[in-house]
Structures are given as structure tokens and as C-alpha cells.
Amino acid sequence: MVTDTAILEAVGEVADPEVPVLTIADLGVLRGVRHEGHEVVVTITPTYSGCPAMDLIRHEVELTLQALQVDGRVETVLSPAWTTDWMSEAGKAKLTEYGIAPPTGRRAVGGPVMLSLTVRCPLCGSPDTTELSHFGSTSCKSLWRCNSCREPFDHFKAL
Amino acid sequence: MNDLFVYTLRLGDDALISAQRTAEWIAAAPQLEEDVALGNIGLDQLGQARSLLQYAGAVEGAGRSEDDLAYLRDERDFLNLQLCELPNGDFAHAMARLLYFATYQQLLYDELRGCDDEQLAGVAGKAVKEVAYHVDHATQWVLRLGDGTEESHRRMELALDALWPYTAEMFESDELVRRLAVAVDPSTLQDEWTRRVMAVIDESTCGRPSASYQHSGGRQGRHTEHLGYLLAELQHVARSYPGATW
């Protein structure tokens, strides 16, 4: 009998195909494990509604369950909505090391005002940076440039 | 037909048809960052459409999947707003439409996320955060173009005017939304929508749009001649190769 903790640990190691240094546990995409009769149900939540990585993540989790010889399935839940607040501190550190500025602060919902918080350059650490575009190489990122070292970089935007 | 099915289909069709139109901008936007931005916005809308159409299929209980609903319905079966299906026009049109539509979606989803239907509330709670970025993006461009050069001002104003006659349809109330407890009656959103949109238009230095005539009919399946062409492209592969997977 594989314990829930062991299942969570094993499936938590599945990497995000778009940011491979992060696991789904780091991201907070992995929501939990529960039992339905003889079946184990692993719940995951998408970062963005249209996140194209979800199908692959689901598949990888299924393969991990098979490897553990656990009879289970994967369920996608939308509520409560994913937020960058669920990203682990370890995950944020890994992101910076990978060259992506981690999310800062919390995104206010509903109001039209955007808070402009400093995003530090993940390469040289300078706080003197400029946003080039709200939208980057994937839904979860925006595109920035460092005014000190002049390097462009991705920022995992707060949601 | 089931009220909840029809209501979910309306929201899903708005998102799907907008996603298709927005995606047409990829590789045609004025700058590379904008291709990426519109690609991402279209993807958010497509994600919302998938969740909504999946749920609509489940509510209907006739075994139709999100793909069946997207690919195998005809023009008159689509319940999206006419605003969503209009051809792209120039870039100012794209930003005017995004401002009108995303502001509407933001207000709608914000209400809907508190409703008693767990699925609809879940989709709305997720989408409202994405749509906030869309509104912000559209706002920045409307200000920049409206308060830009003489030519950009002229074209921004033209676009805001041209799409205005398609805005009243967003707020039409009907028997269905009044009957269905979880539905948001869109007429309750109009004042706040007008306030937000007019604030942006005023700041952009463009004149306030007005129209004596407002189009209507999308919610009953009556569309402009443009939807058929859009669907032909959207549905072509799925209809030419029935059952194909990729």
C-alpha cells in the first residue's frame, strides 16, 4: 500500500514542461490526493485557463501513478483559482537561478489599477528594469529588460 | 432546451469566437511583442471557451464534447455576440473591440464567480484574473493611439465609433437570464461598463462614440455575414477529416 504522502511526493516531482526547473509541487499546480473507493484521485489546477502544458502534466502524472502501481486518475479543478501565491519559496529561488524573475507581491483582483512593483533582474540583480510587454513566451510570463546589464528576461507575472 | 446549457453556451461561444478572431492577428500585428500579446490573449479566451463548452456539453447530457460543440454546429446554432465575430479591420479596431469586450467580460466574470453553480463560478474566478490583463492591455493601446499622432487619433476614433453599434447587445436582458438563478443579468453591468469605458475614451482624447442604431440577434443565433466565413476556417479540418485527432 502506497501512502498518500508517497504519492504526493512522487507526482509532485513531475516537471512543468515549459519551465523544466520547476516541479508541479513548486508551482502549486498539484492540489492534492484523495480516495474514491479503490481509486486514487490526484487533483491538479491550471495556471491559466488556456495553459497548453496541462495535457502533458496530466499524462506525466498518470505515468507516475502507473509506475507506483496505484490505480488512479487525474482530475482538473478550477476552483479555488490558481495564484502565484501558491508557488513555493524553493520554486521562486529556482526560477531566479534559471533566469526568470519570480512573481512579486499579490495581484489584486477586480480593480483596474495595476501595482507596479520592482522586478529585479535575475541575471545581475539590479532593480532598475523596464517592462517591454505584459505578455511573454508563455501565458504566465511577461517580457522585461534590465537597464543595468541591458539583458532582456522573462518575469513570471503575479496572478 | 435546458436554460443552464444555453447560458453556458452563450458565454462559451463569446470566448471561442473572440479567440479565433484574436488569433488571426498572430504574425500580422504591428510589432513582434504584439503578436505574442495577442497570441496569449487569444489563448486565454480559448481556455475559457474550452472549460465553458466542456461544461455545456456535460449539462446538456447528450454526450457532446467541447470539440463537438465547437466544430460541428452551424452558424445559426452559435449564440455569441455579434461584436465578437466582426472582421478584424485595422489594429485600432482590434484594441477598440478588446476594450469593449474585455471590460464586459471582467464585470461579468466578477459577478459570476460568486454564483451558486460551482463550475461556472470556478471558470469565472479563474478567467477574471486573466481578463484584467486584457483590459489593461487594451487600455494602454487606446490611450497611446488616441493621444498619439493625428493619424493614430483619427483611426482610433473611427474604430471606437465603428464598433459602438455592437455594444448594446452585450447588456440585453431576456427571459432566460431572469429565470436562471445562477445567471448574471447583463443589463445590471451596463452603467459600470459605460463608466469604465468612457473614462478610457475621455483620457485618450477621442470623442465619445454614439449611435442611433444598435445591432442585435447574436443570442438568438442571428449573425452578421462574417460568422460563416470564420466558422468555415475554424471547422474546416474537423469537418473534412471527421474523427481525426492530433
Side-chain angles (χ1 to χ4, degrees):
Chain A
M1 173 78 190
V2 189
T3 65
D4 286 0
T5 322
I7 294 172
L8 272 177
E9 254 173 44
V11 299
E13 286 304 308
V14 168
D16 175 357
E18 284 175 346
V19 191
V21 287
L22 289 187
T23 66
I24 58 171
D26 290 333
L27 270 169
V29 159
L30 177 62
R31 295 311 294 152
V33 170
R34 68 166 200 276
H35 296 266
E36 264 181 26
H38 293 295
E39 218 178 22
V40 167
V41 183
V42 176
T43 47
I44 55 175
T45 190
T47 52
Y48 281 73
S49 302
C51 179
M54 284 313 278
D55 288 340
L56 190 61
I57 290 174
R58 164 189 290 270
H59 182 64
E60 299 264 329
V61 171
E62 284 166 355
L63 290 180
T64 309
L65 289 177
Q66 277 172 25
L68 290 171
Q69 297 184 313
V70 168
D71 184 19
R73 64 188 167 86
V74 183
E75 201 179 82
T76 306
V77 292
L78 291 177
S79 186
W82 181 84
T83 157
T84 31
D85 295 351
W86 294 347
M87 192 183 287
S88 69
E89 288 307 314
K92 288 181 187 170
K94 281 195 255 179
L95 265 186
T96 311
E97 212 173 298
Y98 189 61
I100 298 173
T104 48
R106 195 193 175 114
R107 170 117 184 83
V109 172
V113 182
M114 299 276 289
L115 280 179
S116 176
L117 298 159
T118 303
V119 173
R120 278 186 185 275
C121 171
L123 304 163
C124 74
S126 166
D128 183 14
T129 56
T130 313
E131 187 183 53
L132 297 177
S133 174
H134 260 355
F135 299 90
S137 53
T138 64
S139 307
C140 49
K141 287 179 246 150
S142 55
L143 188 61
W144 288 64
R145 184 173 52 211
C146 176
N147 298 326
S148 298
C149 72
R150 309 299 295 165
E151 284 290 329
F153 65 90
D154 276 338
H155 166 52
F156 206 111
K157 60 192 178 196
L159 187 77
Chain B
M1 261 195 292
N2 180 323
D3 282 351
L4 182 59
F5 169 67
V6 174
Y7 183 67
T8 310
L9 210 53
R10 288 179 180 181
L11 303 186
D13 285 350
D14 283 351
L16 178 70
I17 301 304
S18 293
Q20 179 73 10
R21 275 292 183 232
T22 308
E24 287 174 10
W25 273 105
I26 300 173
Q31 59 189 41
L32 186 61
E33 287 80 0
E34 200 51 37
D35 280 340
V36 174
L38 289 171
N40 271 304
I41 291 171
L43 190 60
D44 286 343
Q45 293 171 338
L46 187 63
Q48 294 158 19
R50 286 191 61 181
S51 300
L52 289 164
L53 292 183
Q54 227 170 55
Y55 183 50
V59 168
E60 186 193 32
R64 286 203 278 183
S65 68
E66 52 181 296
D67 282 355
D68 294 336
L69 289 171
Y71 295 134
L72 302 178
R73 279 182 300 148
D74 291 328
E75 208 178 333
R76 290 297 295 256
D77 304 325
F78 276 80
L79 303 179
N80 59 282
L81 299 163
Q82 292 184 3
L83 176 70
C84 302
E85 73 205 33
L86 296 175
N88 277 335
D90 68 10
F91 185 67
H93 277 75
M95 290 304 115
R97 172 162 47 200
L98 189 61
L99 178 71
Y100 292 162
F101 182 61
T103 305
Y104 164 75
Q105 273 195 318
Q106 188 179 28
L107 292 167
L108 178 75
Y109 286 146
D110 200 27
E111 277 295 310
L112 197 63
R113 71 196 167 113
C115 82
D116 284 335
D117 184 295
E118 206 180 303
Q119 281 294 323
L120 283 183
V123 174
K126 181 112 212 73
V128 74
K129 304 207 277 182
E130 299 161 0
V131 169
Y133 274 103
H134 306 175
V135 171
D136 195 59
H137 189 70
T139 300
Q140 289 189 23
W141 271 113
V142 171
L143 296 183
R144 191 160 151 191
L145 295 173
D147 200 11
T149 66
E150 210 172 292
E151 177 65 3
S152 74
H153 175 87
R154 185 183 70 82
R155 287 168 72 167
M156 193 66 246
E157 206 166 60
L158 274 178
L160 289 165
D161 267 342
L163 297 182
W164 190 257
Y166 294 90
T167 53
E169 196 189 7
M170 297 192 279
F171 308 105
E172 279 173 10
S173 182
D174 64 1
E175 276 305 313
L176 189 142
V177 292
R178 288 192 290 267
R179 208 165 46 216
L180 183 65
V182 297
V184 174
D185 183 340
S187 62
T188 60
L189 308 174
Q190 188 160 19
D191 288 348
E192 181 58 17
W193 181 88
T194 308
R195 195 188 65 73
R196 290 191 188 182
V197 164
M198 285 306 181
V200 175
I201 293 175
D202 287 347
E203 197 184 338
S204 79
T205 74
C206 289
R208 289 191 171 200
S210 63
S212 52
Y213 182 78
Q214 287 281 345
H215 298 269
S216 172
R219 296 296 189 216
Q220 288 79 44
R222 292 195 309 275
H223 294 281
T224 66
E225 65 269 36
H226 309 293
L227 182 65
Y229 294 96
L230 180 148
L231 291 178
E233 198 167 303
L234 174 75
Q235 300 181 334
H236 160 249
V237 174
R239 294 216 188 210
S240 299
Y241 303 92
T245 54
W246 56 89

